[in-house]
């Protein structure tokens, strides 16, 4: 026992149920439990739950002598809750008779080994992940005999081969590279010399057959691997070739590029300039060098401003900066420069003349601000003030006039006239309006924009009408027409007391400004007319009973809804504006899907009308008919959706009453038919039978042959009358329909019809219909429609064949009567005044509607006619008012056109 207690490995003895009987110190140290604590536990309780099933399985096999002992690596749960990995060697202890009495477990702590193995696995996983993620394609080849076998590749290699490399795993290098000996040579040299081998050249890819310029490295990995690192340098080689070409092009670009380029050495001396620099600034490089011109002082004569330029040159940080630059001819232009500092101290200046760009930006900003201001202008005077302000910012002026022009009256209507008097601008707009244009105004109207530049001394132009300071003529005048489309709607002029203030370019810019003015003034006129139109629409919309609504095309925003919505829906217009789905929330639950489909159809451009029910907040149910239509712009493109919704509850109630009356009328008719048929059969039939019997008796009593013959003739007449009465009784109400059902009555009637009408008829009836009885109302309606349809074929169709089918489509019964006759013209179907054609069809439709069915007629001239009647299947005894299909809906017709 001393050896047991002090053994270096943990030892535990348990009973055959696994409960601890004895443990040594090492086992207690491994598990963290004392010997006493372990005696209250068993081996499974300290085994990690994931391994208990294995423990039990192996113990069972050992007990059943399938294995003499077993070894299991598993984690124990220590007393502290930590896991400790152990290697358990488990065997049985037997008595002298060989009977198992205890279980012996030798326990070895292998936690450190597991940690090392886990670290090794993580290292291998990291290496594998790095290998897969490396951007350079890598192929692993293993030496097998005198050849190499492809055993692995990374993701880059997979992409390089267009995912074809997987098909080559296990392939031999000698077979794959039979025509590429440099690859096999690289593998052999690397494996033999045990050092990297590098080869560069053209290689043809096995996957795509492309010829690529590759940089290939062969790296030996002990003991038997050679890894090929492949870099595609095709593009790099091509780039080097292109670079040589670009150097030649750059020299040409330097001389021809529309940018100013200058090179300044580390001492600040101008070394080189291109042709654009010389053309823009006016000096040649040769002139600057020969005359030793300080070009910076010439271009930036202000010392303080030049300090800013010198600081910019010193920074040379490749940022662009704008400057006001003076040219050789004295003009001040806007330029933008950037400077690049080279490693040898040389700086390169790149600049461009942005005078036109700056002017365009100024014009763009001014026009944008003006457009924004004009969008909110509500009067011609408000627009005029914005326009003359913008003209002052762009051109400057001492006086200006803006007048509207009425071409029909050939008259000007001054809106705003301003002049500078005593150094201050004053509004000098005349009160007198409707005067004809001046001579200058007439020229502008007829010939377009006009620029007047006067020489000193300045005089008033002949025919002009001075305004404001009438003693001071203008030195420069620009006058432009205000146009809207092809029409001239006004004149705009600006004046300056300075000579040569404006140019032809200024005149073009002022004309653009005037065109914007024309659009604004025309809009103001149109808005006034629109206001009057909208006011009329508002008064109409607010006083009609129907709901008028307007939404965007996406049906996301409600743009307008009139007060009738509140009267019909019982909800406020504000709730509809706040949440457009609230309009649909009121739809009756049974009609909601139908309304949602309607919404989807309208999004797709289908604007059919729809009838549905709504529930008002007070619980009242109202019937609504809505129809929609697109609102289109001048090009015909729909940009809004509008519609009208009307309350049709009253008409729906009337329609329901009418259908109820029609149904009761049909039921009364059928009842009367049945009564008359019974009377004919029972009363008239019995009377005729009695007469026949009497005649037969008289025939036997008479001796005269002439009387016997007459009596026999009377008997034949009586027989014919009996047959007619029987037929008439069946026509009025066939007993087969009541006794055997629709299928039997249909076959009987069609068979009888063929004999009487001499028309070939074919009957097809689904077996399900023959095996069930439908409601009396449905069977009667279907049979009467069949009678009327066949009667119409006999009377009008001129057909030789007719086919009758009775089909069961789930919850719908369908009757089809189709002939090959002359057909029915569409005008006859539409013209209700043609009663000879439509009366019978109307009767069939009424019978179908009376049982919640539907009647459709498919016909074309010379192509025959098909009558389709569909009914909800209602089994006898389930109530004639119950149907599986919505009333009036059209069933799906399998195989039908």
């Amino acid at each position: 026992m001393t050896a047991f207690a002090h053994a270096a490995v943990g030892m535990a003895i348990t009973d055959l149920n696994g409960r601890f009987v004895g443990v040594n110190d090492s086992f207690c140290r491994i598990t963290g439990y004392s010997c006493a604590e372990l005696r209250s536990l068993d081996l499974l309780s300290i085994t990690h739950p994931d391994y208990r099933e294995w423990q039990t399985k192996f113990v069972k096999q050992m007990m059943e002598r399938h294995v003499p002992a077993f070894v299991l690596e598993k984690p124990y749960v220590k007393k502290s809750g930590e896991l400790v990995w152990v290697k358990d060697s488990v065997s049985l202890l037997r008595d002298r008779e060989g009977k198992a009495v205890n279980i012996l477990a030798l326990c070895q702590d292998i936690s450190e080994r597991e940690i090392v193995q886990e670290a090794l696995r993580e290292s291998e996983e990291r290496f594998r992940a790095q290998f897969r993620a490396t951007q350079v394609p890598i192929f692993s080849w293993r030496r097998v005999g005198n050849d190499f076998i492809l055993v692995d590749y990374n993701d880059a290699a997979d992409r390089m081969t267009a995912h074809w490399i997987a098909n080559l795993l296990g392939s031999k290098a000698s077979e794959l590279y039979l025509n590429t000996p440099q690859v096999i040579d690289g593998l052999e040299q690397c494996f033999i010399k045990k050092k990297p081998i590098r080869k560069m050249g053209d290689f043809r890819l096995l996957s795509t057959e492309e010829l690529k310029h590759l940089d290939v490295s062969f790296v030996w990995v002990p003991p038997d691997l050679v890894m090929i690192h492949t870099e595609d340098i095709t593009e790099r080689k091509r780039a080097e070739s292109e670079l040589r070409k670009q150097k030649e092009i750059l020299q040409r670009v330097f001389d021809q590029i529309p940018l100013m380029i200058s090179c300044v050495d580390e001492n600040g001396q101008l070394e080189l300039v291109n042709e654009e620099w010389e053309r823009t600034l006016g000096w040649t490089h040769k002139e600057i060098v020969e005359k030793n011109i300080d070009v910076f002082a010439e271009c930036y004569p202000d010392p303080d401003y030049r300090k800013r330029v010198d600081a910019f040159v010193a920074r040379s940080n490749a940022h662009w900066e704008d400057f006001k630059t003076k040219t050789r001819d004295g003009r001040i232009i806007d330029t933008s420069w950037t400077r690049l500092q080279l490693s040898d101290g040389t700086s390169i200046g790149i600049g461009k003349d942005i005078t036109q760009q700056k002017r365009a930006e100024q014009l763009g900003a001014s026009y944008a601000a003006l457009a924004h201001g004009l969008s909110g202008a509500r009067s011609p005077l408000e627009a005029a003030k914005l326009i003359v302000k913008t003209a002052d910012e762009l051109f400057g002026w001492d006086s200006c006039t803006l007048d509207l022009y009425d071409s029909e009256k050939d008259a000007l209507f001054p809106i705003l006239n301003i002049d500078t008097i005593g150094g201050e601008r004053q509004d000098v707009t005349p009160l007198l309006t409707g005067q004809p244009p001046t001579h200058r105004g007439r020229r502008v109207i007829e010939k377009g924009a006009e620029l007047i530049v006067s020489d000193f001394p300045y005089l008033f132009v002949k025919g002009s009408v001075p305004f404001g300071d009438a003693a001071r003529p203008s030195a420069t005048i620009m006058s432009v027409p205000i146009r809207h489309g092809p029409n001239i709607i006004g004149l705009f002029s600006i004046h300056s007391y300075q000579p040569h203030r404006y140019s032809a370019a200024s005149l073009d810019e002022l004309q653009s400004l005037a065109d914007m003015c024309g659009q604004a003034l025309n809009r103001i006129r149109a808005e006034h007319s629109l206001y009057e139109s909208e006011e009329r629409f508002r008064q109409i919309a607010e006083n009609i009973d129907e709901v008028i609504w307007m939404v965007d095309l996406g049906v996301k925003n409600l743009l307008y809804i009139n007060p009738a919505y509140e009267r019909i829906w019982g909800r406020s217009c504000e709730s509809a504006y706040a949440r457009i789905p609230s309009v649909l929330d009121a739809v009756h639950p049974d009609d909601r899907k139908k309304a949602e489909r309607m919404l989807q159809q309208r999004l797709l451009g289908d604007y059919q009308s729809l009838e549905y029910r709504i529930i008002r907040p007070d619980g009242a149910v109202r019937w609504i008919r809505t129809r929609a239509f697109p609102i289109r712009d001048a090009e015909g493109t729909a940009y809004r959706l509008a519609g009208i919704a009307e309350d049709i509850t009253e008409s729906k109630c009337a329609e329901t009453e009418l259908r109820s009356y029609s149904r009761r009328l049909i039921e009364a008719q059928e009842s009367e038919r049945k009564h008359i048929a019974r009377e004919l059969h029972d009363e008239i039939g019995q009377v005729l039978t009695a007469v026949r019997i009497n005649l037969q008796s008289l025939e036997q009593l008479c001796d005269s042959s002439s009387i016997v013959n007459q009596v026999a003739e009377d008997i034949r007449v009586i027989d014919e009358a009996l047959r007619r009465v029987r037929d008439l009784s069946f026509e009025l109400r066939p007993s087969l329909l009541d006794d055997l059902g629709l299928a039997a009555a249909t076959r009987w009637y069609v068979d009888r019809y063929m004999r009487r009408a001499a028309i070939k008829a074919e009957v097809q009836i689904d077996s399900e219909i023959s095996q069930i009885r439908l409601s009396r109302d449905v069977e009667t309606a279907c049979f009467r429609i069949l009678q009327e349809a066949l009667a119409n074929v006999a009377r009008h169709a001129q057909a030789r064949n007719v086919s009758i089918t009775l089909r069961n489509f789930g919850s719908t019964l369908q009757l089809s009567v189709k002939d090959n006759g002359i057909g029915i013209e569409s005008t006859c179907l539409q013209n209700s005044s043609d009663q000879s054609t439509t009366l019978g069809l109307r009767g069939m439709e009424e019978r179908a509607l009376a049982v919640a069915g539907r009647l459709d007629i498919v016909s074309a001239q010379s192509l025959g006619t098909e009558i389709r009647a569909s009914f909800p299947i209602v089994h006898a005894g389930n109530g004639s008012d119950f149907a599986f299909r919505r009333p009036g809906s059209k069933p799906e017709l399998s195989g039908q056109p």
Side-chain angles (χ1 to χ4, degrees):
M1 291 300 293
T2 301
F4 173 81
H6 301 292
V9 297
M11 300 180 68
I13 298 175
T14 71
D15 60 18
L16 296 181
N17 293 322
R19 295 191 65 83
F20 289 107
V21 175
V23 296
N24 68 350
D25 295 341
S26 295
F27 193 85
C28 291
R29 187 168 54 255
I30 291 173
T31 62
Y33 289 99
S34 66
C35 180
E37 289 171 334
L38 286 172
R39 287 182 181 276
S40 64
L41 302 174
D42 57 27
L43 193 59
L44 280 180
S45 65
I46 66 171
T47 299
H48 190 277
D50 293 347
Y51 289 83
R52 291 174 181 172
E53 184 178 350
W54 290 98
Q55 175 81 18
T56 303
K57 177 181 177 181
F58 289 149
V59 169
K60 182 179 179 182
Q61 291 179 353
M62 186 174 65
M63 294 293 292
E64 294 175 353
R65 297 183 179 270
H66 295 305
V67 294
F70 65 88
V71 177
L72 179 63
E73 293 184 358
K74 62 179 181 179
Y76 276 163
V77 181
K78 299 177 67 174
K79 180 180 179 181
S80 62
E82 297 177 319
L83 296 181
V84 57
W85 277 89
V86 298
K87 180 179 181 182
D88 270 356
S89 298
V90 183
S91 59
L92 290 173
L93 297 178
R94 302 180 184 275
D95 56 16
R96 294 180 178 179
E97 286 77 21
K99 181 180 178 181
V101 292
N102 290 101
I103 297 175
L104 173 64
L106 302 180
C107 177
Q108 181 181 358
D109 186 349
I110 59 171
S111 296
E112 292 184 1
R113 190 192 74 184
E114 282 296 319
I115 293 172
V116 172
Q117 289 180 347
E118 181 64 24
L120 180 60
R121 283 193 295 270
E122 290 179 358
S123 175
E124 289 177 348
E125 289 176 0
R126 285 196 298 270
F127 172 77
R128 182 65 181 171
Q130 292 171 357
F131 170 74
R132 299 296 302 182
T134 300
Q135 296 301 311
V136 177
I138 302 175
F139 305 85
S140 295
W141 295 84
R142 173 170 283 118
R143 182 73 170 192
V144 178
N146 295 325
D147 211 333
F148 292 88
I149 303 298
L150 181 63
V151 295
D152 201 0
Y153 58 89
N154 68 351
D155 295 344
D158 186 50
R159 291 192 297 270
M160 179 181 183
T161 60
H163 311 295
W164 191 67
I165 187 64
N167 301 321
L168 300 181
L169 282 176
S171 301
K172 296 181 179 179
S174 60
E175 296 174 353
L176 293 179
Y177 296 108
L178 183 63
N179 298 322
T180 314
Q182 59 266 46
V183 175
I184 298 177
D185 180 67
L187 289 168
E188 291 287 352
Q189 292 296 323
C190 178
F191 188 79
I192 293 172
K193 296 179 179 181
K194 303 295 188 290
K195 67 178 184 179
I197 302 294
R198 184 177 183 185
K199 289 180 178 288
M200 296 178 63
D202 292 332
F203 295 83
R204 189 170 299 280
L205 299 182
L206 296 176
S207 57
T208 62
E209 294 295 325
E210 293 180 274
L211 188 64
K212 296 283 188 178
H213 198 84
L214 304 179
D215 184 353
V216 183
S217 297
F218 300 82
V219 180
W220 176 63
V221 179
D224 58 355
L225 286 180
V226 175
M227 302 181 75
I228 299 180
H229 297 237
T230 306
E231 183 180 0
D232 185 354
I233 59 173
T234 306
E235 292 301 323
R236 189 177 74 189
K237 285 293 183 181
R238 186 181 295 115
E240 291 174 354
S241 176
E242 290 295 328
L243 184 60
R244 288 191 295 271
K245 294 180 182 178
Q246 290 175 5
K247 287 182 179 179
E248 299 175 1
I249 295 171
L250 282 176
Q251 186 61 43
R252 295 185 181 180
V253 171
F254 180 77
D255 293 330
Q256 302 299 324
I257 191 171
L259 291 173
M260 296 180 285
I261 301 178
S262 62
C263 295
V264 179
D265 64 16
E266 57 184 354
N267 299 318
Q269 296 298 317
L270 191 63
E271 287 188 334
L272 181 66
V273 296
N274 68 345
E275 294 179 3
E276 181 67 13
W277 190 97
E278 295 177 339
R279 185 190 65 77
T280 303
L281 299 182
W283 294 278
T284 65
H285 182 258
K286 181 179 179 182
E287 182 181 15
I288 293 171
V289 173
E290 290 178 351
K291 296 183 179 181
N292 195 24
I293 298 173
D294 186 350
V295 72
F296 283 99
E298 294 290 337
C299 290
Y300 308 103
D302 185 353
D304 293 333
Y305 196 83
R306 189 163 60 251
K307 288 180 181 179
R308 175 191 164 196
V309 176
D310 291 338
F312 169 74
V313 173
R315 287 194 301 270
S316 296
N317 55 7
H319 291 169
W320 286 88
E321 194 167 335
D322 297 344
F323 298 95
K324 294 287 186 180
T325 305
K326 182 179 179 182
T327 63
R328 185 174 184 177
D329 59 9
R331 293 179 296 111
I332 303 297
I333 63 173
D334 288 294
T335 59
S336 184
W337 292 91
T338 184
R339 299 202 71 85
L340 308 174
Q341 189 73 37
L342 303 183
S343 59
D344 62 355
T346 301
S347 67
I348 299 176
I350 302 174
K352 54 185 176 180
D353 182 356
I354 60 171
T355 305
Q356 294 298 326
Q357 177 184 335
K358 284 285 188 180
R359 181 60 176 175
E361 290 174 356
Q362 183 187 16
L363 290 172
S366 297
Y367 288 170
L370 177 60
H372 178 72
L374 291 177
S375 66
R378 291 295 177 265
S379 68
L381 179 59
E382 188 178 349
K385 289 180 178 180
L386 292 170
I387 293 168
V388 299
K389 178 184 177 182
T390 303
D392 189 30
E393 294 171 352
L394 293 175
F395 312 103
W397 49 260
D398 296 312
S399 63
C400 67
T401 64
L402 194 153
D403 307 325
L404 290 182
Y405 174 66
D406 188 333
S407 59
E408 294 183 356
K409 298 179 180 179
D410 190 28
L412 290 175
F413 298 86
I415 302 300
L416 182 63
N417 291 11
I418 298 177
D419 192 12
T420 304
I421 302 174
E424 295 183 359
R425 288 179 174 175
Q426 298 181 16
D427 186 343
V428 293
T429 307
L431 298 177
L432 184 63
T433 64
Q435 299 298 308
T438 63
H439 292 299
R440 176 162 51 85
R442 180 73 63 194
R443 289 196 307 273
V444 173
I445 291 172
E446 295 177 352
K447 298 182 179 180
E450 181 178 87
L451 172 65
I452 299 176
V453 180
S454 301
D455 295 324
F456 188 81
Y458 311 125
L459 301 173
F460 286 109
V461 178
K462 182 179 179 180
S464 62
V465 179
F467 67 97
D469 189 352
R472 187 179 185 185
S474 301
T476 312
I477 303 174
M478 289 195 298
S479 298
V480 295
I482 301 174
R483 299 176 296 208
H484 182 262
N487 302 318
I488 294 176
I489 63 171
L491 297 177
F492 181 37
S493 297
I494 61 174
H495 304 237
S496 176
Y497 296 139
Q498 299 178 17
H500 304 282
R501 178 71 179 272
Y502 310 129
S503 64
S506 303
L507 187 66
D508 291 338
E509 293 170 356
L510 184 65
Q511 182 63 72
S512 299
L513 187 67
D515 291 339
M516 292 184 64
C517 174
Q519 294 175 7
L521 294 175
N522 189 73
R523 174 185 59 78
I524 292 170
R525 288 178 174 178
E527 284 180 350
H528 182 68
S529 299
L530 180 61
Y531 172 78
E532 293 182 343
S533 175
E534 288 179 344
E535 182 63 20
R536 289 192 296 270
F537 169 78
R538 184 187 63 80
Q539 293 181 14
I540 294 172
E542 290 182 357
N543 290 281
I544 66 173
D545 295 330
E546 289 79 10
V547 176
I548 300 175
W549 52 266
M550 185 183 301
V551 297
D552 59 8
L553 276 185
V555 195
K556 294 181 179 179
N557 299 305
L558 180 63
L559 306 177
Y560 176 77
I561 193 164
N562 68 336
Y565 173 76
E566 297 182 347
R567 295 194 298 271
I568 297 177
W569 258 257
R571 291 169 169 81
S572 66
C573 293
E574 288 73 16
S575 66
Y577 283 118
R579 182 173 173 271
I580 192 170
S582 66
V583 179
L584 293 179
D585 290 344
V587 176
H588 194 285
D590 294 344
D591 296 340
R592 191 156 294 163
K593 288 186 178 179
K594 178 169 61 174
E596 291 173 353
R597 284 197 301 270
M598 170 197 69
L599 181 60
Q600 293 300 321
Q601 289 170 354
R602 288 178 178 173
L603 290 174
L604 299 174
D606 184 355
Y607 305 113
Q608 294 183 4
S609 63
L610 179 70
E611 295 179 1
Y612 56 89
R613 291 164 293 173
I614 63 169
I615 302 177
R616 290 165 51 93
D618 59 7
V621 177
R622 309 295 295 176
W623 272 96
I624 304 297
R625 178 190 292 121
T626 181
R627 54 190 182 276
F629 52 89
I631 298 177
R632 304 182 185 277
D633 56 21
E635 287 74 29
T637 302
Y639 69 99
R640 286 180 182 171
L641 187 65
I644 299 174
E646 58 180 320
D647 186 344
I648 60 170
T649 306
E650 301 270 341
S651 62
K652 275 290 182 181
C653 291
E655 182 181 339
T656 301
E657 288 295 327
L658 182 60
R659 287 190 177 179
S660 176
Y661 173 76
S662 176
R663 178 169 181 168
R664 291 195 301 270
L665 185 62
I666 290 174
E667 289 175 351
Q669 185 184 40
E670 287 297 327
S671 178
E672 186 64 22
R673 281 172 173 263
K674 188 173 183 180
H675 174 72
I676 293 173
R678 186 182 301 112
E679 289 294 325
L680 284 173
H681 184 272
D682 295 345
E683 300 295 334
I684 305 299
Q686 290 178 9
V687 170
L688 290 175
T689 301
V691 172
R692 186 181 189 282
I693 293 172
N694 291 336
L695 287 174
Q696 286 178 335
S697 299
L698 182 61
E699 182 183 23
Q700 293 174 1
L701 296 173
C702 291
D703 295 331
S704 173
S705 60
S706 60
I707 295 176
V708 170
N709 292 336
Q710 182 62 44
V711 171
E713 180 62 25
D714 292 341
I715 291 174
R716 284 194 296 273
V717 172
I718 293 298
D719 288 340
E720 178 63 21
L722 283 170
R723 187 182 65 79
R724 294 285 183 88
V725 168
R726 186 168 52 251
D727 289 346
L728 184 58
S729 175
F730 279 131
E731 287 286 346
L732 288 171
R733 182 69 184 183
S735 58
L736 280 173
L737 184 62
D738 294 326
D739 298 337
L740 299 180
L742 179 62
T746 298
R747 292 190 180 93
W748 168 80
Y749 186 80
V750 172
D751 182 66
R752 184 169 171 271
Y753 174 82
M754 285 192 296
R755 293 196 303 271
R756 294 176 59 188
I759 296 176
K760 183 178 180 182
E762 180 182 357
V763 181
Q764 293 182 355
I765 302 176
D766 285 356
S767 59
E768 295 90 340
I769 299 174
S770 300
Q771 296 170 3
I772 62 174
R773 286 302 303 270
L774 306 176
S775 72
R776 178 179 57 82
D777 293 343
V778 170
E779 288 189 337
T780 300
C782 184
F783 186 78
R784 292 304 183 197
I785 291 173
L786 171 66
Q787 281 184 307
E788 183 64 30
L790 290 177
N792 285 340
V793 172
R795 286 194 296 263
H796 307 295
Q798 302 178 24
R800 295 188 301 274
N801 298 290
V802 62
S803 63
I804 300 95
T805 59
L806 275 173
R807 297 272 179 85
N808 178 11
F809 292 99
S811 60
T812 301
L813 170 69
Q814 185 193 93
L815 166 68
S816 171
V817 180
K818 185 175 183 180
D819 65 65
N820 64 347
I822 60 175
I824 306 175
E825 294 185 7
S826 58
T827 55
C828 294
L829 292 174
Q830 297 169 0
N831 186 7
S832 59
S833 62
D834 188 0
Q835 296 185 2
S836 63
T837 303
T838 61
L839 189 58
L841 301 180
R842 182 61 182 169
M844 289 190 283
E845 184 179 10
E846 289 293 337
R847 285 190 176 274
L849 291 175
V851 292
R854 177 181 178 134
L855 185 76
D856 293 302
I857 302 173
V858 180
S859 182
Q861 196 168 7
S862 302
L863 296 178
T865 302
E866 181 180 6
I867 304 293
R868 298 177 187 165
S870 55
F871 313 90
I873 291 182
V874 181
H875 297 284
N878 289 346
S880 61
D881 293 330
F882 179 80
F884 291 95
R885 180 173 291 276
R886 176 175 58 82
S889 66
K890 186 174 181 179
E892 296 181 1
L893 306 180
S894 175
Q896 298 295 323

